[in-house]
Amino acid sequence: MTIRTRFAPSPTGYLHIGGARTALYSWLFARKHQGRFILRIEDTDLERSTPESVDAILEGMAFLGLDYDEGPFYQTARFDRYREVLSEFIAQGHAYYCTCTKAELEERRAAQIARKEKPRYDRRCRDAGHGPSPQAVVRFKNPLEGTVVVDDAVKGRVVFRNDELDDLVIARGDGTPTYNFTVVVDDMDMGITHVIRGDDHLNNTPRQINMLRALDATPPAYAHIPMILGEDGARLSKRHGAVSVMQYRDEGYLPEALINYLVRLGWAHGDQEIFTRAEMTALFDIKDVHAAAAAINPKKLLWLNQHYIKTLPAADIAKRLAPFLAARGADLTAGPALVEVVTALQERAKTLVEMAEQAHIFYKPETVIDDPKNQAIIASTPRPALAALAEAFATAPAWTREAIHAAVETAATTHGLTFGKLAQPIRIAVTGTAVSPPIDITCALLGRERCVLRLKSAIALAFPETRP
RNA sequence: GCUCCCUUCGUCUAGUGGCCUAGGACGCUGGCCUCUCACGCCGGUAACAGGGGUUCGAAUCCCCUAGGGAGCGCCA
């Protein structure tokens, strides 16, 4: 039997980190078993669903590389099918029309709560034999006795008593189907074998299983994965920083890092922390998913992101970095090959945004030394040493890392300075900042002409009285 | 309130009755390396929610308590 899993988001917002993990686990499980991964858009809530959200979800999945084999299927395109099953249900006595008004329901609910009872529908229309009428909803006749056993792949065996359940609405007054009904029809029609979803759905599961049984269908296997918490252990929300996958992308996170972080959040394979796509696909098992909720740890994500920035091929990183530089207004034709810059920066950036910031100095037409501390560093360096270096730079036989290093070293020793004492003012002169890759690499990337020019103007600026 | 779920370092986790004086990772921290920033390397910090059982032996099995979460919608 081919394993078939699905991701079924409702398009009422962006793809958030929790949904992404659910999708990832479903995707991994399907891929691991050479199964099929299906995307289904649950847009039956006409009020809240938007096409923008659909796009955002699709974009998020594409960014993460979670490709689907079938779909996206839209529930709004399947209303005829739902109506069909609905009438079957009614004809077979599995469902009935209910004429209780929302106000009445609300009143009874309040009374039940006041009596400290579990609020649920009292079933007064169950055997009333109502026919269809404009405002009537349709309710499923849930069994009154017995139990429903869910052998959940992550929660273990969970037993629900039918007498705890009520008769849920499966079609609204306007005839549109509700979630618990559409999900059952779809999972059956689409041949879903394993339902992997958030554990907020665990309590819905027995009702869905009862409907599946009424339909004479075999319920799929279930795996309810716990939710993701914010750093503080509270439910994840915007105030925890990034929650949307696209926001992480915009902040310079790599999909490799995000995926690796997410797969380890609630799942482990011994002590291994770094997983390639292929490794996690081979090693992942839904049964090994931790049953407890996990708090997100942004620092660890950052560490992983840095790891991938560091270890992925420079050309690859350069390709992804380019848009970030463009966004900063950098002109990539005005400087060294981006790959070379990336190579110099790979061990120095935690995100692409950070790297773009560091790379930008290699493409700026001119530098400004605006920090007084930096100005002071140049001013406190013996002018002759700087002048000699500018000369050495101008006349070096070749503009290579080695030649630059030798020039700095010679100038330093000649003037009684350590390498570092001279390197720092040069760094400031040529980049305008106190931080950059090693000075020889930095200068090599910048090019001879620019280095000499900037060195000279820095000298002129720091020692205005003396002529250059 | 009722039903269901959950509980190992600050965080993610390993652990499935003896290999646990509880391992790894992030973080934090001491040191080394060093031209800045980083990378890297070596070391340190810190946990089985509490209480009862079962057992020769429990982080691991059972029960209770506490704490956290979810559901109880004509939302999904």
Side-chain angles (χ1 to χ4, degrees), chain A residues 250-272:
Chain A
D250 295 344
E251 289 179 8
Y253 286 86
L254 268 22
E256 286 86 346
L258 230 27
I259 289 285
N260 197 147
Y261 181 72
L262 254 18
V263 79
R264 272 292 280 103
L265 196 63
W267 173 83
H269 181 257
D271 288 339
Q272 188 170 346

Side-chain angles (χ1 to χ4, degrees), chain A residues 15 47 59 69 72 90 104 106 120 136 166 192 203 218 238 247 253 259-260 262 268 297 320 396 400 441 454 458 465:
Chain A
L15 176 64
E47 305 278 297
E59 203 184 348
D69 305 300
I90 292 166
E104 288 168 343
E106 194 42 59
R120 59 235 250 239
D166 65 358
I192 303 302
N203 286 301
T218 309
K238 289 109 269 154
Q247 195 180 339
Y253 286 86
I259 289 285
N260 197 147
L262 254 18
N297 182 184
R320 308 191 208 191
T400 61
I441 296 181
R454 289 178 184 179
E465 320 71 54

Side-chain angles (χ1 to χ4, degrees), chain A residues 420-441:
Chain A
K421 271 284 185 229
L422 189 53
Q424 199 56 5
I426 305 170
R427 172 171 286 117
I428 293 163
V430 300
T431 69
T433 74
V435 175
S436 86
I439 197 63
D440 48 354
I441 296 181

Side-chain angles (χ1 to χ4, degrees), chain A residues 375-412:
Chain A
Q375 293 168 354
I377 288 176
I378 296 183
S380 65
T381 307
R383 185 182 177 286
L386 292 170
L389 189 74
E391 183 60 20
F393 270 7
T395 59
W399 194 247
T400 61
R401 213 186 138 169
E402 294 71 27
I404 295 164
H405 195 274
V408 175
E409 194 147 55
T410 306

Side-chain angles (χ1 to χ4, degrees), chain A residues 36-219:
Chain A
R36 309 273 289 171
F37 177 57
I38 294 143
L39 178 63
R40 183 171 77 221
I41 306 294
E42 309 216 322
D43 54 355
T44 53
D45 183 348
L46 279 8
E47 305 278 297
R48 298 195 300 151
S49 300
T50 65
E52 290 74 29
S53 297
V54 172
D55 291 343
I57 290 165
L58 261 30
E59 203 184 348
M61 301 217 13
F63 174 66
L64 294 174
L66 301 178
D67 56 324
Y68 36 90
D69 305 300
E70 295 172 31
F73 297 114
Y74 294 84
Q75 292 192 317
T76 43
R78 290 175 46 78
F79 276 15
D80 288 348
R81 171 59 179 153
Y82 303 138
R83 257 188 288 275
E84 183 185 7
V85 179
L86 203 60
S87 34
E88 271 175 41
F89 259 9
I90 292 166
Q92 292 161 187
H94 288 307
Y96 60 92
Y97 289 100
C98 167
T99 55
C100 298
T101 66
K102 282 184 186 179
E104 288 168 343
L105 257 18
E106 194 42 59
E107 199 178 305
R108 286 178 225 159
R109 210 189 324 273
Q112 285 170 324
I113 291 169
R115 269 181 269 132
K116 304 201 177 220
E117 287 171 18
K118 182 175 185 171
R120 59 235 250 239
Y121 180 59
D122 63 7
R123 297 188 162 117
R124 69 178 63 192
C125 292
R126 183 167 167 124
D127 298 307
H130 294 307
S133 62
Q135 301 310 325
V137 301
V138 179
R139 287 181 185 273
F140 174 68
K141 261 190 199 173
N142 198 78
L144 270 11
E145 305 173 328
T147 59
V148 178
V149 176
V150 181
D151 275 309
D152 194 90
V154 345
K155 301 287 185 180
R157 169 163 293 206
V158 185
V159 180
F160 296 90
R161 289 166 41 166
N162 274 323
D163 61 17
E164 284 291 337
L165 274 26
D166 65 358
D167 292 351
L168 70 157
V169 170
I170 57 177
R172 302 182 180 94
D174 64 3
T176 57
T178 62
Y179 165 76
N180 275 296
F181 180 64
T182 57
V183 76
V184 158
V185 174
D186 286 348
D187 283 342
M188 175 180 73
D189 286 356
M190 296 175 188
I192 303 302
T193 61
H194 297 258
V195 170
I196 298 171
R197 63 195 350 176
D199 69 1
D200 47 335
H201 289 290
L202 184 56
N203 286 301
N204 287 327
T205 307
R207 313 207 277 185
Q208 293 174 7
I209 289 178
N210 281 331
M211 284 191 270
L212 251 4
R213 284 184 182 153
L215 284 164
D216 226 13
T218 309

